[in-house]
Amino acid sequence: MGATAPGFSLPSASGETVALRELLAGGPVVLTFYRGSWCPYCNIALRSLQQHHDAIAARLVALSPQIPDESLSLAEKHALAFDVLSDLGSDTAKQYGLAFDLPDDLAAVYEGFGIDLQRVNAGHPRTLPLPATYVIDRDGTIRWAFVAADYTTRAEPADILAALDTLG
């Protein structure tokens, strides 16, 4: 906490380019990283954030290494009212220290489940982000962070709201 959030400019599911600096011009930002639409834990977390969307007064934005078409399908399926951005190659996740490469045995398991990471991640099949959520103050300072090595654990909306309340 207290570090400056790395900037980004990424394509949204609707084809627009979204930049952190532009989001911050409207106030605090809640930034959440997820692995992809194929991940059931990610889907639950995004639906939970959607349920609290009105209470989260900040700009809420979700990033994954998926191509925009996959993000669009996810946003439509769950009727998400927030931007879902494509971090192809996980470059932004790398800046936040969240990117990791799947080991060969785990990649084989995903392939066995029919998850085509090669296609949905635009040729970057092994690089995924750790689940993480940040509350970034209007000046670009990270005021609250949740990062988990366990992909089944996610930030609770109540904790995000409490962090936003501290911004005054």
Side-chain angles (χ1 to χ4, degrees):
M1 262 77 63
T4 299
F8 59 80
S9 184
L10 298 169
S12 72
S14 61
E16 301 170 24
T17 298
V18 176
L20 179 59
R21 115 182 136 297
E22 293 168 4
L23 293 170
L24 290 171
V29 170
V30 174
L31 175 65
T32 190
F33 288 83
Y34 71 100
R35 299 176 333 143
S37 60
W38 50 268
C39 170
Y41 297 97
C42 299
N43 290 322
I44 291 167
L46 292 173
R47 283 195 309 266
S48 180
L49 288 172
Q50 177 58 42
Q51 290 172 351
H52 293 86
H53 184 259
D54 290 343
I56 298 174
R59 279 298 307 262
L60 174 60
V61 89
L63 276 68
S64 86
Q66 299 183 122
I67 59 176
D69 282 352
E70 290 292 319
S71 296
L72 179 60
S73 296
L74 173 88
E76 289 174 345
K77 178 180 179 182
H78 299 300
L80 301 179
F82 51 88
D83 284 323
V84 181
L85 308 181
S86 293
D87 181 23
L88 299 178
S90 296
D91 292 335
T92 301
K94 288 173 188 170
Q95 290 180 54
Y96 281 78
L98 302 173
F100 70 97
D101 289 332
L102 288 174
D104 291 343
D105 57 340
L106 188 53
V109 169
Y110 285 15
E111 288 170 17
F113 287 145
I115 300 169
D116 186 358
L117 292 177
Q118 179 72 28
R119 182 187 65 77
V120 301
N121 290 355
H124 303 277
R126 300 259 172 116
T127 306
L128 297 174
L130 294 172
T133 301
Y134 297 90
V135 172
I136 305 169
D137 204 346
R138 182 179 213 139
D139 67 1
T141 303
I142 297 172
R143 298 296 178 188
W144 182 86
F146 174 91
V147 179
D150 179 353
Y151 67 89
T152 66
T153 306
R154 305 303 165 106
E156 291 294 329
D159 294 335
I160 296 167
L161 291 167
L164 287 167
D165 285 346
T166 67
L167 300 181

